[in-house]
Amino acid sequence: MRIGMGFDIHRLVENRPLILGGVKIPFSKGLQGHSDADVLLHALCDALLGAIGAGDMGTYFPDTDPQWKGVASSRFVERCLELLSRSKMRVVNVDLILVAEQPKLAPHRRAIQESVAQSLGLDSRRVNLKGKTMEGLGPIGEGEAISAYAVVLLE
Ligand code: MG
């Protein structure tokens, strides 16, 4: 068995859609980034790559590469899964944390969980998602960014 962890953070800015775990969330701002800036899937990809000892997302999907500009981050997950299967590994379960002051994640939690499970080809009971706030503290607490953490177990 192998374990991996991932973290990511993106700035919240005007005139961008907010995509979390592959789900478009209605909100006045979105995350800044080269791809769709899906902070949750980026943390997940880093956890997957970490578990197989394959470095990090920057190695495979550099933000200087035009082929990744504006792409859906589910493409990154697909690529990570290819690397996993090449290593003869598969995902047992994933545990995810999204840290955002706004918007409230509770109404979208189930949809995000199912979307992530689908991109991993897993039963949604193997994907857990927790929404947290920073209690108003720091840049995330002040609504300037959203961050995410991911832990994965592979067999
Ligand atoms: Mg990122």
Side-chain angles (χ1 to χ4, degrees), residues 8-89:
D8 199 20
I9 184 167
H10 282 257
R11 266 177 209 279
L12 268 172
V13 294
E14 312 272 346
N15 301 314
R16 287 273 296 179
L18 178 60
I19 315 285
L20 295 172
V23 178
K24 188 159 188 267
I25 309 290
F27 190 53
S28 57
K29 293 180 176 177
L31 295 173
Q32 188 174 50
H34 185 67
S35 63
D36 67 357
D38 190 330
V39 66
L40 186 62
L41 293 189
H42 293 185
L44 173 64
C45 285
D46 260 357
L48 293 168
L49 293 172
I52 56 169
D56 62 19
M57 281 191 76
T59 313
Y60 290 93
F61 319 109
D63 62 9
T64 49
D65 188 337
Q67 75 165 305
W68 305 119
K69 188 166 167 54
V71 300
S73 293
S74 54
R75 294 261 310 276
F76 302 145
V77 177
E78 276 171 32
R79 181 82 185 100
C80 291
L81 290 178
E82 284 169 22
L83 293 167
L84 248 67
S85 67
R86 230 186 273 169
S87 303
K88 308 234 182 313
M89 301 297 289

